[in-house]
Amino acid sequence: MHALIVVAHHDPHSLTRSVAEQVGAGLSACGHTFEIADLAAEGFDPRYTAADHQVHRSHATPPADVLAEQARIERADALVVVFPIYWWSMPALLKGWIDRVFVNGWAIDYGPDLPVTKKLRHLKVHLLALGAADAHAFDRHGYAEAMRTQIDYGIFDYCGAQVLTSQLLLESESDTAQAHLHRARTLGQGLFERETVAG
């Protein structure tokens, strides 16, 4: 089976990128394939333009870069999103990718007089978010729940996608890096376990 691993970090030597690579290593170890979509390295433009707005309003054909991203998702049996936590959410690069790629007519269908139709019910999603704060800070202020509400439900569930994994890899600037890398590899190894058993 095949996974698309989306990573949003400007530094190719970051822990975020290493976590994405370890997910891939786990997949490879189990005979699966993967592609890493490194949004920063590839120069994806996250700016929502007038052309994107036309897609939203009138189901116009998306720009070529958006069509290419949608095709990568369609080729995958699972989507893995790996990102650093900026201000208790995702980086602007990743948010712009979602804004432009998960569009009306592809991820959902709706209009002024129509209910929302969720079009990504087949998509299985795994989220790995890296943060420097500890779990106590995330729980004390309600940030962990806010992120789940905004990202897991507000974005992916709204499109019908199934979020199977949603993990906060915290205290990433301390000595937890190796544990996070091990966790990522384990996730990769088990990503398609249920599908393989069921098949």
Side-chain angles (χ1 to χ4, degrees):
M1 301 191 84
H2 182 71
L4 175 64
I5 305 171
V6 176
V7 59
H9 200 292
H10 63 277
D11 183 358
H13 305 294
S14 65
L15 179 59
T16 301
R17 174 68 196 218
S18 295
V19 163
E21 290 170 351
Q22 284 303 305
V23 173
L27 284 161
S28 292
C30 294
H32 303 296
T33 61
F34 69 93
E35 176 183 2
I36 292 183
D38 187 330
L39 301 182
E42 295 172 7
F44 180 81
D45 187 350
R47 294 173 299 175
Y48 190 88
T49 67
D52 297 301
H53 191 65
Q54 282 303 111
V55 175
H56 171 74
R57 291 298 296 267
S58 61
H59 286 195
T61 300
D65 61 340
V66 171
L67 290 173
E69 296 302 311
Q70 291 172 347
R72 289 211 281 197
I73 296 170
E74 289 167 356
R75 287 194 300 269
D77 299 296
L79 173 66
V80 182
V81 185
V82 185
F83 61 95
I85 298 168
Y86 290 175
W87 290 105
W88 315 105
S89 188
M90 62 178 64
L93 176 60
L94 180 58
K95 180 60 165 58
W97 183 79
I98 290 168
D99 289 345
R100 296 191 63 217
V101 174
F102 286 67
V103 294
N104 191 18
W106 184 79
I108 55 172
D109 252 331
Y110 79 97
D113 302 315
L114 298 171
V116 172
T117 300
K118 301 180 178 194
K119 298 187 73 174
L120 297 183
R121 295 186 184 277
H122 61 283
L123 185 63
K124 295 173 175 61
V125 178
H126 302 268
L127 304 171
L128 294 174
L130 287 86
D134 61 21
H136 180 66
F138 274 81
D139 292 337
R140 183 175 71 245
H141 298 296
Y143 295 134
E145 187 59 35
M147 285 182 66
R148 278 191 290 274
T149 300
Q150 176 199 359
I151 300 169
D152 300 29
Y153 304 113
I155 296 172
F156 293 106
D157 182 66
Y158 188 73
C159 301
Q162 306 166 57
V163 177
L164 301 182
T165 305
S166 184
Q167 297 182 21
L168 298 177
L169 305 181
L170 302 178
E171 299 181 73
S172 60
E173 295 176 354
S174 66
D175 58 0
T176 61
Q178 285 304 316
H180 293 337
L181 294 171
H182 176 73
R183 200 166 170 184
R185 187 180 181 95
T186 301
L187 174 68
Q189 289 171 333
L191 202 69
F192 296 119
E193 199 169 72
R194 281 184 228 156
E195 286 89 341
T196 304
V197 171

